[in-house]
Amino acid sequence: MFLTGLRCTVCSDAYRPAPGRYVCDRCGEVGTLDARYDYAAIGRVLSPDTLAADSERSIWRYRPLLPVGPDVAVSALGVGGTPLIEAERLAERWGVEQLWIKDEGRQPTGSLKDRASAVALAKAAEEGAETVTTASTGNAAAALAGLAAGTGQTAVIFVPETAPEAKVAQLLAYGAFVMLVEGTYDDAVRLCQEAVDRFGWYNRNTGINPYVGEGKKTVALEIAEQLGWEAPDAVFVSVGDGSIIGGVHKGFRDALELGWIDRMPRIYGVQAAGSSYMVDAWRNGEDLTTKPPVSALTAADSISADLPRDRVKAMAAVVETGGGWVSVDDDAILEMIPTVSADSGIFPEPAAAAAFAGLAEVVAGTQEGVPPVGATDRVVVISTGSGLKDIRGVMRGIDRTGAVPLPVRPGPDGLDPDEIAARMEQWLERLKGVTGDPLHG
Ligand SMILES: *Cc1c(COP(=O)(O)O)cnc(C)c1O
Ligand SMILES: [Zn+2]
Protein backbone atom coordinates (compact mmCIF):
# COMPACT_ATOMS: atom_id res chain seq x y z
CA MET A 1 0.00 0.00 0.00
CA PHE A 2 1.25 3.48 -0.87
CA LEU A 3 -0.71 5.43 1.78
CA THR A 4 1.85 7.22 3.93
CA GLY A 5 -0.30 9.18 6.36
CA LEU A 6 -3.17 11.57 7.00
CA ARG A 7 -2.94 15.34 7.25
CA CYS A 8 -5.42 17.81 8.74
CA THR A 9 -6.84 20.14 6.10
CA VAL A 10 -7.13 22.95 8.67
CA CYS A 11 -3.98 22.87 10.85
CA SER A 12 -1.77 20.46 8.80
CA ASP A 13 -1.11 18.17 11.78
CA ALA A 14 -0.06 14.71 10.63
CA TYR A 15 -1.66 11.44 11.77
CA ARG A 16 -0.83 7.81 11.28
CA PRO A 17 -3.71 5.83 9.69
CA ALA A 18 -5.20 3.56 12.37
CA PRO A 19 -8.58 2.05 13.24
CA GLY A 20 -10.70 4.73 14.90
CA ARG A 21 -8.69 7.59 13.41
CA TYR A 22 -11.19 9.79 11.58
CA VAL A 23 -10.69 13.53 12.18
CA CYS A 24 -8.06 15.88 13.64
CA ASP A 25 -7.77 15.82 17.46
CA ARG A 26 -6.99 19.48 17.61
CA CYS A 27 -9.60 20.82 15.15
CA GLY A 28 -12.44 18.35 15.72
CA GLU A 29 -14.93 17.61 12.93
CA VAL A 30 -14.02 20.56 10.74
CA GLY A 31 -10.49 19.12 10.63
CA THR A 32 -11.12 16.55 7.92
CA LEU A 33 -8.03 14.53 7.11
CA ASP A 34 -6.43 14.21 3.70
CA ALA A 35 -4.78 10.92 2.70
CA ARG A 36 -1.13 11.25 1.65
CA TYR A 37 0.71 8.89 -0.68
CA ASP A 38 4.20 8.05 -1.86
CA TYR A 39 3.73 9.35 -5.41
CA ALA A 40 7.27 8.50 -6.52
CA ALA A 41 6.65 4.84 -5.66
CA ILE A 42 3.18 4.89 -7.24
CA GLY A 43 4.69 6.32 -10.44
CA ARG A 44 6.92 3.26 -10.69
CA VAL A 45 4.00 0.81 -10.76
CA LEU A 46 1.18 2.82 -12.35
CA SER A 47 1.27 4.97 -15.48
CA PRO A 48 -0.94 5.87 -18.45
CA ASP A 49 0.70 2.95 -20.28
CA THR A 50 0.05 0.34 -17.58
CA LEU A 51 -3.51 1.65 -17.28
CA ALA A 52 -4.05 1.43 -21.04
CA ALA A 53 -3.02 -2.22 -20.90
CA ASP A 54 -5.22 -3.03 -17.88
CA SER A 55 -8.54 -4.73 -18.65
CA GLU A 56 -9.95 -3.94 -15.18
CA ARG A 57 -12.62 -1.26 -15.72
CA SER A 58 -13.66 -0.62 -12.10
CA ILE A 59 -12.13 1.92 -9.68
CA TRP A 60 -9.70 -0.79 -8.57
CA ARG A 61 -7.64 -0.15 -11.71
CA TYR A 62 -6.27 2.80 -9.69
CA ARG A 63 -5.60 0.69 -6.59
CA PRO A 64 -2.09 2.01 -5.87
CA LEU A 65 -3.74 5.46 -5.56
CA LEU A 66 -6.34 4.12 -3.11
CA PRO A 67 -5.84 3.65 0.65
CA VAL A 68 -6.42 -0.11 0.57
CA GLY A 69 -3.79 -2.85 0.55
CA PRO A 70 -3.42 -5.21 -2.43
CA ASP A 71 -4.81 -8.28 -0.63
CA VAL A 72 -8.04 -6.83 0.70
CA ALA A 73 -11.20 -8.25 -0.89
CA VAL A 74 -13.18 -5.55 -2.68
CA SER A 75 -16.63 -5.12 -4.20
CA ALA A 76 -17.11 -7.19 -7.33
CA LEU A 77 -20.11 -5.15 -8.50
CA GLY A 78 -18.11 -3.11 -11.00
CA VAL A 79 -18.02 0.28 -9.29
CA GLY A 80 -16.69 3.00 -11.60
CA GLY A 81 -15.89 2.73 -15.27
CA THR A 82 -18.86 4.94 -16.17
CA PRO A 83 -18.97 6.46 -19.66
CA LEU A 84 -17.95 10.01 -20.49
CA ILE A 85 -20.43 11.02 -23.15
CA GLU A 86 -20.11 13.90 -25.56
CA ALA A 87 -23.34 15.95 -25.54
CA GLU A 88 -23.39 17.92 -28.76
CA ARG A 89 -26.88 19.35 -28.55
CA LEU A 90 -26.36 20.60 -25.01
CA ALA A 91 -22.99 22.05 -26.04
CA GLU A 92 -24.72 23.93 -28.84
CA ARG A 93 -27.48 25.10 -26.51
CA TRP A 94 -24.97 26.62 -24.10
CA GLY A 95 -22.53 27.83 -26.73
CA VAL A 96 -19.52 25.79 -25.68
CA GLU A 97 -17.31 23.92 -28.10
CA GLN A 98 -17.13 20.61 -26.31
CA LEU A 99 -19.27 19.30 -23.50
CA TRP A 100 -19.06 15.87 -21.92
CA ILE A 101 -21.28 14.27 -19.33
CA LYS A 102 -19.85 11.79 -16.84
CA ASP A 103 -22.88 9.59 -16.25
CA GLU A 104 -22.73 8.36 -12.67
CA GLY A 105 -26.34 7.25 -12.84
CA ARG A 106 -24.93 4.01 -14.23
CA GLN A 107 -23.19 2.95 -11.05
CA PRO A 108 -24.40 -0.32 -9.45
CA THR A 109 -26.76 1.50 -7.06
CA GLY A 110 -27.35 4.51 -9.33
CA SER A 111 -25.11 7.26 -7.98
CA LEU A 112 -21.51 8.40 -7.66
CA LYS A 113 -21.62 7.43 -3.96
CA ASP A 114 -20.75 3.86 -4.93
CA ARG A 115 -17.15 4.96 -5.43
CA ALA A 116 -16.93 6.11 -1.82
CA SER A 117 -18.78 3.21 -0.26
CA ALA A 118 -16.64 0.68 -2.14
CA VAL A 119 -13.50 2.14 -0.59
CA ALA A 120 -15.05 2.51 2.89
CA LEU A 121 -16.19 -1.12 2.89
CA ALA A 122 -12.74 -2.31 1.78
CA LYS A 123 -11.17 -0.22 4.52
CA ALA A 124 -13.60 -1.63 7.10
CA ALA A 125 -12.71 -5.16 5.99
CA GLU A 126 -9.01 -4.35 6.23
CA GLU A 127 -9.53 -3.10 9.79
CA GLY A 128 -11.58 -6.16 10.73
CA ALA A 129 -14.78 -4.19 11.37
CA GLU A 130 -17.94 -6.21 10.73
CA THR A 131 -20.59 -3.52 10.83
CA VAL A 132 -20.42 -0.33 8.82
CA THR A 133 -22.75 2.60 9.42
CA THR A 134 -23.58 5.88 7.74
CA ALA A 135 -26.04 8.73 7.83
CA SER A 136 -27.21 9.83 4.43
CA THR A 137 -29.82 11.76 2.52
CA GLY A 138 -30.24 8.52 0.58
CA ASN A 139 -27.61 7.82 -2.04
CA ALA A 140 -24.64 7.19 0.25
CA ALA A 141 -26.90 4.87 2.19
CA ALA A 142 -28.07 3.02 -0.91
CA ALA A 143 -24.45 2.70 -2.01
CA LEU A 144 -23.34 1.33 1.35
CA ALA A 145 -26.32 -1.03 1.56
CA GLY A 146 -25.95 -2.34 -1.99
CA LEU A 147 -22.22 -2.86 -1.93
CA ALA A 148 -22.38 -4.40 1.56
CA ALA A 149 -24.97 -6.81 0.20
CA GLY A 150 -22.46 -7.72 -2.49
CA THR A 151 -19.58 -8.40 -0.08
CA GLY A 152 -21.70 -9.83 2.75
CA GLN A 153 -20.80 -7.06 5.20
CA THR A 154 -23.42 -5.55 7.55
CA ALA A 155 -24.73 -2.03 6.94
CA VAL A 156 -26.64 0.13 9.43
CA ILE A 157 -28.21 3.22 7.90
CA PHE A 158 -29.60 6.45 9.36
CA VAL A 159 -31.79 8.33 6.85
CA PRO A 160 -34.17 11.23 7.37
CA GLU A 161 -37.81 10.19 7.00
CA THR A 162 -38.04 12.66 4.09
CA ALA A 163 -35.69 10.55 1.91
CA PRO A 164 -37.24 9.70 -1.50
CA GLU A 165 -39.08 6.38 -1.51
CA ALA A 166 -36.87 4.79 -4.17
CA LYS A 167 -33.80 5.29 -2.03
CA VAL A 168 -35.47 3.80 1.07
CA ALA A 169 -36.71 0.90 -1.08
CA GLN A 170 -33.12 0.23 -2.14
CA LEU A 171 -31.97 0.11 1.49
CA LEU A 172 -34.64 -2.34 2.54
CA ALA A 173 -34.25 -4.54 -0.54
CA TYR A 174 -30.49 -4.74 -0.04
CA GLY A 175 -31.13 -5.99 3.48
CA ALA A 176 -29.58 -3.10 5.39
CA PHE A 177 -30.69 -2.31 8.93
CA VAL A 178 -32.53 1.00 8.46
CA MET A 179 -33.14 3.69 11.06
CA LEU A 180 -35.67 6.20 9.72
CA VAL A 181 -34.85 9.43 11.55
CA GLU A 182 -37.73 11.73 12.46
CA GLY A 183 -35.70 14.80 11.61
CA THR A 184 -33.23 16.21 9.13
CA TYR A 185 -30.10 14.80 7.55
CA ASP A 186 -28.11 16.65 10.19
CA ASP A 187 -30.08 14.89 12.92
CA ALA A 188 -29.30 11.60 11.20
CA VAL A 189 -25.59 12.45 11.22
CA ARG A 190 -25.68 13.16 14.97
CA LEU A 191 -27.50 9.91 15.75
CA CYS A 192 -25.12 7.92 13.57
CA GLN A 193 -22.12 9.42 15.34
CA GLU A 194 -23.69 8.47 18.67
CA ALA A 195 -24.06 4.89 17.44
CA VAL A 196 -20.42 4.80 16.35
CA ASP A 197 -19.32 5.98 19.79
CA ARG A 198 -21.54 3.48 21.59
CA PHE A 199 -21.24 0.38 19.45
CA GLY A 200 -17.83 0.78 17.81
CA TRP A 201 -19.20 0.39 14.27
CA TYR A 202 -17.05 1.46 11.33
CA ASN A 203 -17.97 5.05 10.45
CA ARG A 204 -18.45 5.77 6.73
CA ASN A 205 -19.84 9.24 7.32
CA THR A 206 -19.01 11.89 4.77
CA GLY A 207 -16.64 14.52 6.10
CA ILE A 208 -15.58 12.23 8.96
CA ASN A 209 -14.16 9.18 7.21
CA PRO A 210 -10.98 10.35 5.44
CA TYR A 211 -11.18 7.63 2.79
CA VAL A 212 -14.56 8.26 1.15
CA GLY A 213 -13.12 11.18 -0.80
CA GLU A 214 -10.38 8.85 -2.01
CA GLY A 215 -13.06 6.71 -3.62
CA LYS A 216 -14.77 9.76 -5.10
CA LYS A 217 -11.53 11.02 -6.64
CA THR A 218 -11.59 8.09 -9.08
CA VAL A 219 -14.24 9.97 -11.06
CA ALA A 220 -11.62 12.61 -11.89
CA LEU A 221 -8.97 10.02 -12.72
CA GLU A 222 -11.44 8.42 -15.12
CA ILE A 223 -12.36 11.74 -16.73
CA ALA A 224 -8.69 12.59 -17.27
CA GLU A 225 -7.99 9.14 -18.67
CA GLN A 226 -11.08 9.19 -20.92
CA LEU A 227 -9.91 12.53 -22.35
CA GLY A 228 -6.52 11.03 -23.20
CA TRP A 229 -4.88 12.63 -20.14
CA GLU A 230 -5.68 16.09 -21.38
CA ALA A 231 -7.45 17.91 -18.56
CA PRO A 232 -10.75 19.63 -19.36
CA ASP A 233 -10.94 23.41 -18.87
CA ALA A 234 -13.95 23.41 -16.57
CA VAL A 235 -15.72 20.78 -14.46
CA PHE A 236 -19.18 21.32 -12.93
CA VAL A 237 -20.08 19.44 -9.76
CA SER A 238 -23.17 19.71 -7.57
CA VAL A 239 -22.39 20.19 -3.90
CA GLY A 240 -24.09 19.22 -0.66
CA ASP A 241 -21.51 18.16 1.90
CA GLY A 242 -18.67 19.00 -0.47
CA SER A 243 -17.13 15.55 -0.46
CA ILE A 244 -17.56 14.85 -4.17
CA ILE A 245 -16.06 18.17 -5.24
CA GLY A 246 -13.17 17.63 -2.80
CA GLY A 247 -12.64 14.19 -4.32
CA VAL A 248 -12.73 15.59 -7.85
CA HIS A 249 -10.03 18.08 -6.87
CA LYS A 250 -7.94 15.32 -5.29
CA GLY A 251 -8.18 13.09 -8.35
CA PHE A 252 -6.97 15.80 -10.72
CA ARG A 253 -4.24 16.77 -8.22
CA ASP A 254 -3.07 13.14 -8.10
CA ALA A 255 -2.92 13.04 -11.90
CA LEU A 256 -1.00 16.34 -11.95
CA GLU A 257 1.41 15.20 -9.23
CA LEU A 258 2.15 12.06 -11.25
CA GLY A 259 2.69 14.10 -14.42
CA TRP A 260 -0.24 12.43 -16.18
CA ILE A 261 -1.91 15.80 -16.88
CA ASP A 262 -0.12 19.13 -17.19
CA ARG A 263 -2.67 21.53 -15.67
CA MET A 264 -5.75 21.59 -13.47
CA PRO A 265 -9.29 22.26 -14.69
CA ARG A 266 -11.28 25.09 -13.11
CA ILE A 267 -13.70 23.43 -10.73
CA TYR A 268 -17.19 24.94 -10.31
CA GLY A 269 -19.32 24.01 -7.30
CA VAL A 270 -23.09 24.25 -7.76
CA GLN A 271 -25.49 24.46 -4.85
CA ALA A 272 -29.25 24.81 -4.56
CA ALA A 273 -30.26 28.34 -3.63
CA GLY A 274 -32.01 26.90 -0.58
CA SER A 275 -28.84 25.15 0.58
CA SER A 276 -26.08 27.56 -0.33
CA TYR A 277 -23.65 27.51 2.59
CA MET A 278 -20.57 27.32 0.35
CA VAL A 279 -21.77 29.93 -2.14
CA ASP A 280 -22.49 32.37 0.71
CA ALA A 281 -19.16 31.68 2.44
CA TRP A 282 -17.29 32.27 -0.83
CA ARG A 283 -19.13 35.43 -1.77
CA ASN A 284 -18.80 36.94 1.71
CA GLY A 285 -15.32 35.64 2.48
CA GLU A 286 -16.56 33.91 5.63
CA ASP A 287 -14.45 31.67 7.90
CA LEU A 288 -15.49 28.03 7.43
CA THR A 289 -14.44 27.05 10.93
CA THR A 290 -16.87 29.51 12.53
CA LYS A 291 -19.67 30.11 9.98
CA PRO A 292 -22.91 28.72 11.49
CA PRO A 293 -25.15 26.22 9.65
CA VAL A 294 -27.89 27.38 7.29
CA SER A 295 -31.43 25.95 7.27
CA ALA A 296 -31.37 23.94 4.08
CA LEU A 297 -34.54 23.59 2.04
CA THR A 298 -34.43 22.28 -1.53
CA ALA A 299 -36.17 19.75 -3.77
CA ALA A 300 -32.71 18.38 -4.64
CA ASP A 301 -32.50 16.16 -1.54
CA SER A 302 -28.98 14.88 -2.27
CA ILE A 303 -27.50 18.37 -1.99
CA SER A 304 -29.48 19.53 1.02
CA ALA A 305 -27.00 20.20 3.84
CA ASP A 306 -27.21 22.67 6.72
CA LEU A 307 -23.49 22.45 7.38
CA PRO A 308 -21.41 20.91 4.59
CA ARG A 309 -19.24 18.36 6.40
CA ASP A 310 -16.43 18.57 3.86
CA ARG A 311 -16.49 22.35 3.52
CA VAL A 312 -12.75 22.85 3.87
CA LYS A 313 -11.86 20.48 1.04
CA ALA A 314 -14.78 21.79 -1.04
CA MET A 315 -13.65 25.41 -0.76
CA ALA A 316 -10.07 24.47 -1.63
CA ALA A 317 -11.29 22.67 -4.77
CA VAL A 318 -12.82 25.86 -6.15
CA VAL A 319 -10.37 28.46 -4.85
CA GLU A 320 -7.17 26.61 -5.75
CA THR A 321 -8.32 25.90 -9.31
CA GLY A 322 -9.72 29.35 -10.11
CA GLY A 323 -13.27 28.07 -10.41
CA GLY A 324 -16.40 29.52 -8.86
CA TRP A 325 -19.42 28.86 -6.67
CA VAL A 326 -22.85 29.02 -8.25
CA SER A 327 -26.33 28.80 -6.80
CA VAL A 328 -29.42 27.72 -8.74
CA ASP A 329 -33.03 27.81 -7.61
CA ASP A 330 -35.26 24.77 -7.44
CA ASP A 331 -37.27 25.78 -10.52
CA ALA A 332 -34.12 25.87 -12.63
CA ILE A 333 -33.02 22.52 -11.17
CA LEU A 334 -36.30 20.74 -11.81
CA GLU A 335 -36.74 22.21 -15.29
CA MET A 336 -33.24 21.05 -16.18
CA ILE A 337 -34.20 17.38 -15.72
CA PRO A 338 -36.35 17.07 -18.89
CA THR A 339 -34.02 19.45 -20.77
CA VAL A 340 -30.92 17.31 -20.17
CA SER A 341 -32.87 14.09 -20.65
CA ALA A 342 -34.41 15.15 -23.99
CA ASP A 343 -31.21 16.69 -25.30
CA SER A 344 -28.74 13.97 -24.32
CA GLY A 345 -30.49 10.77 -23.29
CA ILE A 346 -28.96 11.01 -19.83
CA PHE A 347 -31.50 10.98 -17.00
CA PRO A 348 -30.40 12.98 -13.94
CA GLU A 349 -31.95 13.13 -10.48
CA PRO A 350 -32.59 16.67 -9.18
CA ALA A 351 -29.20 17.01 -7.44
CA ALA A 352 -27.44 15.91 -10.62
CA ALA A 353 -29.49 18.32 -12.74
CA ALA A 354 -28.29 21.16 -10.50
CA ALA A 355 -24.78 20.92 -11.99
CA PHE A 356 -26.22 21.45 -15.50
CA ALA A 357 -28.32 24.36 -14.24
CA GLY A 358 -25.13 25.83 -12.82
CA LEU A 359 -23.39 25.62 -16.19
CA ALA A 360 -26.43 27.27 -17.82
CA GLU A 361 -26.22 30.14 -15.32
CA VAL A 362 -22.49 30.64 -15.85
CA VAL A 363 -22.71 30.71 -19.64
CA ALA A 364 -25.65 33.12 -19.34
CA GLY A 365 -23.38 35.38 -17.29
CA THR A 366 -25.89 35.79 -14.45
CA GLN A 367 -23.44 34.92 -11.68
CA GLU A 368 -21.40 37.88 -10.57
CA GLY A 369 -17.78 37.22 -9.69
CA VAL A 370 -17.80 33.72 -11.17
CA PRO A 371 -15.10 33.09 -13.80
CA PRO A 372 -16.83 32.75 -17.19
CA VAL A 373 -16.93 29.64 -19.34
CA GLY A 374 -15.62 30.53 -22.77
CA ALA A 375 -16.82 29.28 -26.14
CA THR A 376 -13.65 27.23 -26.69
CA ASP A 377 -13.62 25.70 -23.21
CA ARG A 378 -13.79 21.94 -22.94
CA VAL A 379 -16.41 21.37 -20.27
CA VAL A 380 -17.36 18.32 -18.20
CA VAL A 381 -20.54 18.05 -16.14
CA ILE A 382 -20.72 15.23 -13.63
CA SER A 383 -24.23 13.79 -13.60
CA THR A 384 -24.02 12.43 -10.08
CA GLY A 385 -27.14 10.24 -9.88
CA SER A 386 -29.97 8.63 -11.84
CA GLY A 387 -33.42 10.16 -12.25
CA LEU A 388 -34.87 6.80 -11.22
CA LYS A 389 -33.80 7.71 -7.68
CA ASP A 390 -36.49 10.35 -7.31
CA ILE A 391 -39.38 9.95 -9.70
CA ARG A 392 -41.50 12.47 -7.81
CA GLY A 393 -38.81 15.13 -8.31
CA VAL A 394 -38.48 14.21 -11.97
CA MET A 395 -42.25 14.48 -12.46
CA ARG A 396 -42.26 17.95 -10.91
CA GLY A 397 -39.76 18.97 -13.59
CA ILE A 398 -41.82 17.36 -16.34
CA ASP A 399 -45.00 19.06 -15.10
CA ARG A 400 -43.36 22.40 -15.80
CA THR A 401 -42.93 21.47 -19.48
CA GLY A 402 -46.62 20.67 -19.89
CA ALA A 403 -45.80 17.25 -21.32
CA VAL A 404 -48.71 14.83 -20.95
CA PRO A 405 -49.27 11.43 -22.54
CA LEU A 406 -52.11 11.08 -25.09
CA PRO A 407 -54.75 8.63 -23.82
CA VAL A 408 -55.73 6.07 -26.45
CA ARG A 409 -58.29 3.28 -26.41
CA PRO A 410 -57.43 -0.28 -27.37
CA GLY A 411 -59.24 -1.54 -30.49
CA PRO A 412 -59.50 -0.34 -34.10
CA ASP A 413 -61.13 3.02 -33.24
CA GLY A 414 -58.55 3.93 -30.62
CA LEU A 415 -56.00 5.42 -32.98
CA ASP A 416 -57.41 8.42 -34.81
CA PRO A 417 -54.80 9.30 -37.47
CA ASP A 418 -55.80 12.98 -37.61
CA GLU A 419 -55.70 13.39 -33.86
CA ILE A 420 -52.35 11.63 -33.62
CA ALA A 421 -50.85 13.78 -36.38
CA ALA A 422 -52.12 16.93 -34.67
CA ARG A 423 -50.85 15.80 -31.28
CA MET A 424 -47.41 14.86 -32.65
CA GLU A 425 -47.08 18.27 -34.23
CA GLN A 426 -47.93 19.86 -30.88
CA TRP A 427 -45.44 17.54 -29.26
CA LEU A 428 -42.59 18.57 -31.52
CA GLU A 429 -43.45 22.23 -30.96
CA ARG A 430 -43.43 21.67 -27.23
CA LEU A 431 -40.09 19.89 -27.39
CA LYS A 432 -38.66 22.84 -29.27
CA GLY A 433 -39.93 24.97 -26.42
CA VAL A 434 -38.23 22.74 -23.87
CA THR A 435 -34.96 22.70 -25.68
CA GLY A 436 -35.14 26.19 -27.12
CA ASP A 437 -34.58 28.32 -24.03
CA PRO A 438 -32.17 26.86 -21.52
CA LEU A 439 -33.16 29.06 -18.60
CA HIS A 440 -36.86 29.57 -19.03
CA GLY A 441 -38.01 26.58 -21.10
C1 LIG B 1 -24.21 13.15 -2.57
C2 LIG B 1 -24.64 13.69 -3.85
C3 LIG B 1 -24.25 14.97 -4.29
C4 LIG B 1 -23.42 15.90 -3.46
O1 LIG B 1 -22.23 15.35 -2.98
P1 LIG B 1 -21.55 15.96 -1.69
O2 LIG B 1 -20.34 15.16 -1.47
O3 LIG B 1 -22.56 15.81 -0.57
O4 LIG B 1 -21.28 17.39 -1.97
C5 LIG B 1 -24.69 15.38 -5.53
N1 LIG B 1 -25.48 14.61 -6.29
C6 LIG B 1 -25.88 13.39 -5.90
C7 LIG B 1 -26.75 12.60 -6.80
C8 LIG B 1 -25.47 12.89 -4.67
O5 LIG B 1 -25.91 11.68 -4.29
ZN1 LIG C 1 -6.25 20.08 12.64
Side-chain angles (χ1 to χ4, degrees), residues 122-381:
K123 206 63 199 166
E126 191 177 75
E127 293 184 6
E130 267 155 34
T131 302
V132 183
T133 188
T134 197
S136 164
T137 59
N139 282 339
L144 186 66
L147 300 186
T151 57
Q153 288 163 283
T154 301
V156 181
I157 307 295
F158 293 80
V159 278
E161 59 185 354
T162 51
E165 208 179 358
K167 296 179 184 179
V168 178
Q170 279 185 295
L171 302 179
L172 295 168
Y174 286 134
F177 188 65
V178 181
M179 316 259 197
L180 203 61
V181 177
E182 297 170 11
T184 64
Y185 167 54
D186 294 78
D187 294 323
V189 171
R190 272 187 291 276
L191 278 172
C192 182
Q193 184 61 48
E194 225 175 285
V196 167
D197 296 340
R198 281 207 199 171
F199 310 124
W201 295 335
Y202 186 83
N203 186 347
R204 179 239 175 266
N205 271 329
T206 299
I208 303 286
N209 188 307
Y211 305 116
V212 295
E214 297 302 299
K216 287 166 180 168
K217 80 182 180 186
T218 58
V219 74
L221 293 166
E222 286 180 15
I223 290 168
E225 187 173 7
Q226 286 166 317
L227 293 176
W229 299 110
E230 196 184 321
D233 297 298
V235 179
F236 281 77
V237 190
S238 54
V239 174
D241 270 326
S243 175
I244 292 178
I245 196 169
V248 167
H249 186 212
K250 181 73 176 285
F252 283 116
R253 272 193 293 144
D254 279 1
L256 187 73
E257 179 78 33
L258 287 158
W260 299 350
I261 57 175
D262 58 13
R263 64 193 166 82
M264 293 291 286
R266 301 191 306 279
I267 299 176
Y268 291 81
V270 184
Q271 291 204 287
S275 177
S276 60
Y277 184 102
M278 299 304 304
V279 182
D280 301 345
W282 185 66
R283 285 191 185 147
N284 306 329
E286 290 167 287
D287 181 349
L288 297 175
T289 62
T290 54
K291 180 176 166 57
V294 297
S295 259
L297 185 68
T298 168
D301 65 294
S302 302
I303 51 172
S304 179
D306 295 349
L307 182 67
R309 314 270 147 194
D310 244 334
R311 54 197 178 280
V312 177
K313 288 182 186 173
M315 188 59 81
V318 169
V319 171
E320 290 176 17
T321 64
W325 284 101
V326 184
S327 75
V328 288
D329 64 29
D330 277 8
D331 284 339
I333 291 173
L334 295 173
E335 283 167 16
M336 192 53 71
I337 297 170
T339 300
V340 169
S341 301
D343 252 9
S344 73
I346 289 158
F347 187 45
E349 72 161 85
F356 294 90
L359 170 60
E361 294 277 352
V362 173
V363 297
T366 55
Q367 303 270 317
E368 224 175 290
V370 175
V373 168
T376 58
D377 278 342
R378 302 158 75 249
V379 181
V380 172
V381 179

Side-chain angles (χ1 to χ4, degrees), residues 41-54 61-62 64-65 225 229 258-260:
I42 292 170
R44 287 193 285 276
V45 298
L46 197 68
S47 71
D49 288 340
T50 65
L51 285 165
D54 188 355
R61 69 195 267 97
Y62 306 110
L65 277 166
E225 187 173 7
W229 299 110
L258 287 158
W260 299 350

